[in-house]
Amino acid sequence: MGAYILRRLLLVIPTLLGIMVVNFTLVQFVPGGPIEQILAQMQGEGDVFAGFAGGESAPTEETFGSDSEYLGARGLPKEFIEELEKEFGFDKPPLQRFLSMMGNYLTLDFGQSYFRSISVIDLVLEKMPVSISLGLWSTLIAYLVSIPMGIRKAIKDGSTFDTWTSGTIIVAYAIPGFLFAILLLVLFAGGSYWQIFPLRGLTSDNWDNLSLGGKIVDYFWHITLPVVASTISAFATLTLLTKNSFLDEIKKHYVMTARAKGLSESKVLYGHVFRNAMLIVIAGFPAVFIGVFFSGSIIIETIFSLDGLGRLGFEAAVARDYPVIFGTLFIFGLMSLVVGIISDLMYVLVDPRIDFEKREG
């Protein structure tokens, strides 16, 4: 097992390098870089992307001259633009910039945001509590509810309970997360009905003055609606996955043998079936966690006015804040690959009979 883990860890390096190479290459062809953003704002043009939409205000070759490189360069000295290029590092060729960036990443130097005057790592740590709160509680609740329900549905397969829970789960899965979040706001956060939960934020304004118990209550009071909104779609996948896994295992011969020996139903289910049926559920854990932790966070964070990693990534992409974009991509890509290795270790923990080294051979 040690050799397998070592190979997986070594495989992280080329995989992560490939992710960075592909994304860095794509960015080179994306219009509206950070310098164009600054120049457009200095010229009072607002969003630099307005120039790509066409129309009377769209810049032309006659406006800037055939040798103009930036859309917002009108009326600005060439020396000033060259100084901006040097400040942002764009006076160097792309390959040199990429190698320099990756060299800094090896020493955990992720640079500083172009527009926020704060290091990328400090910015990530500042936004991390919100995303951790959403991802951790959403994943935990999804597993605590979905696994017992999936087992129950497998035992009661074809019953009334199985039918109406399946209908409920399918409806919940079909509702978009952002739409459900808006519904929660309307119903429970001072919309047209009840003012039970706060409208925005992770804590109240008087957080520092609250006791320890008051802070805990206030925290869960604020996080309830965002967690429910981000968890709703995860129930369907996990519940049906658990049910189908148990149904497949229940039909196998070893289960009939265990029952023939006189073992109780609970002993058969949780002493024999559970260990085998949970393997596929555990295999899906990294995808569920990463999906809730990153993918769905931007919409939920925006609706509930939470300042987390989702909004950070979106704002960095819009502003072309490359140190934040590539720094977070490197950090989260590394985390995702490591979580995949942890998933394999969980396989072995649940079923020690699994040997990845023999399977590879």
Side-chain angles (χ1 to χ4, degrees):
M1 189 62 183
Y4 171 78
I5 295 175
L6 179 60
R7 286 196 295 270
R8 285 293 302 273
L9 289 174
L10 293 176
L11 187 61
V12 167
I13 298 174
T15 304
L16 192 58
L17 181 61
I19 293 173
M20 299 302 298
V21 168
V22 170
N23 284 273
F24 186 87
T25 303
L26 290 176
V27 164
Q28 307 310 308
F29 300 98
V30 176
I35 295 180
E36 287 187 296
Q37 295 277 0
I38 293 176
L39 295 178
Q41 291 177 7
M42 292 180 65
Q43 292 295 327
E45 297 176 9
D47 189 357
V48 70
F49 301 105
F52 296 102
E56 294 182 358
S57 60
T60 62
E61 182 175 319
E62 288 76 12
T63 305
F64 297 122
S66 59
D67 59 346
S68 177
E69 184 178 355
Y70 295 105
L71 296 178
R74 177 175 48 196
L76 293 173
K78 182 178 179 181
E79 293 77 11
F80 175 76
I81 298 175
E82 291 176 349
E83 186 65 28
L84 278 179
E85 289 180 331
K86 184 177 181 181
E87 181 179 349
F88 286 104
F90 290 104
D91 57 330
K92 302 180 180 66
L95 179 59
Q96 184 177 346
R97 285 189 281 120
F98 177 77
L99 294 177
S100 176
M101 179 183 72
M102 295 304 297
N104 292 333
Y105 286 0
L106 292 178
T107 61
L108 301 181
D109 179 9
F110 298 100
Q112 192 173 42
S113 169
Y114 284 158
F115 307 109
R116 305 196 187 199
S117 298
I118 183 175
S119 67
V120 172
I121 193 67
D122 288 340
L123 196 57
V124 170
L125 292 176
E126 178 185 315
K127 312 297 182 183
M128 188 74 79
V130 171
S131 295
I132 287 180
S133 294
L134 288 176
L136 180 62
W137 290 115
S138 298
T139 305
L140 180 62
I141 293 173
Y143 270 78
L144 289 177
V145 173
S146 298
I147 291 177
M149 184 181 294
I151 296 174
R152 184 69 176 174
K153 285 173 64 63
I155 297 173
K156 300 290 185 179
D157 184 38
S159 65
T160 303
F161 172 82
D162 182 41
T163 302
W164 73 260
T165 52
S166 294
T168 303
I169 289 172
I170 292 173
V171 171
Y173 184 76
I175 299 176
F178 75 91
L179 187 60
F180 188 69
I182 294 173
L183 178 63
L184 291 176
L185 286 179
V186 172
L187 291 177
F188 304 111
S192 303
Y193 296 90
W194 303 282
Q195 177 69 58
I196 300 176
F197 296 98
L199 184 62
R200 59 173 57 89
L202 196 60
T203 58
S204 298
D205 294 335
N206 62 337
W207 166 264
D208 293 332
N209 299 326
L210 297 176
S211 62
L212 178 60
K215 289 182 178 180
I216 294 175
V217 172
D218 183 76
Y219 168 77
F220 283 106
W221 182 47
H222 281 78
I223 204 67
T224 298
L225 293 187
V227 167
V228 171
S230 59
T231 308
I232 188 68
S233 62
F235 285 127
T237 303
L238 278 174
T239 302
L240 297 180
L241 183 63
T242 303
K243 176 192 173 182
N244 293 332
S245 298
F246 266 77
L247 285 176
D248 289 341
E249 292 296 324
I250 288 174
K251 297 176 182 178
K252 292 183 178 179
H253 292 295
Y254 76 89
V255 176
M256 291 185 288
T257 303
R259 286 171 174 165
K261 289 181 178 179
L263 295 179
S264 63
E265 192 66 17
S266 61
K267 182 67 175 177
V268 172
L269 288 175
Y270 297 101
H272 294 77
V273 176
F274 183 83
R275 183 176 63 181
N276 297 323
M278 287 305 296
L279 289 176
I280 191 171
V281 178
I282 290 174
F285 173 79
V288 173
F289 181 75
I290 296 298
V292 175
F293 192 42
F294 302 121
S295 304
S297 61
I298 179 174
I299 298 177
I300 302 300
E301 288 174 12
T302 301
I303 292 176
F304 291 97
S305 300
L306 300 173
D307 194 11
L309 295 174
R311 291 184 65 182
L312 172 64
F314 175 75
E315 292 171 358
V318 171
R320 299 297 191 266
D321 197 344
Y322 292 153
V324 176
I325 294 174
F326 292 119
T328 53
L329 178 66
F330 182 89
I331 295 172
F332 299 151
L334 180 61
M335 288 176 58
S336 178
L337 294 171
V338 172
V339 168
I341 298 175
I342 295 175
S343 177
D344 289 346
L345 296 179
M346 292 176 66
Y347 262 121
V348 178
L349 181 63
V350 174
D351 190 350
R353 296 172 299 175
I354 293 179
D355 191 333
F356 287 104
E357 294 183 3
K358 290 183 179 179
R359 291 179 65 183
E360 288 187 342

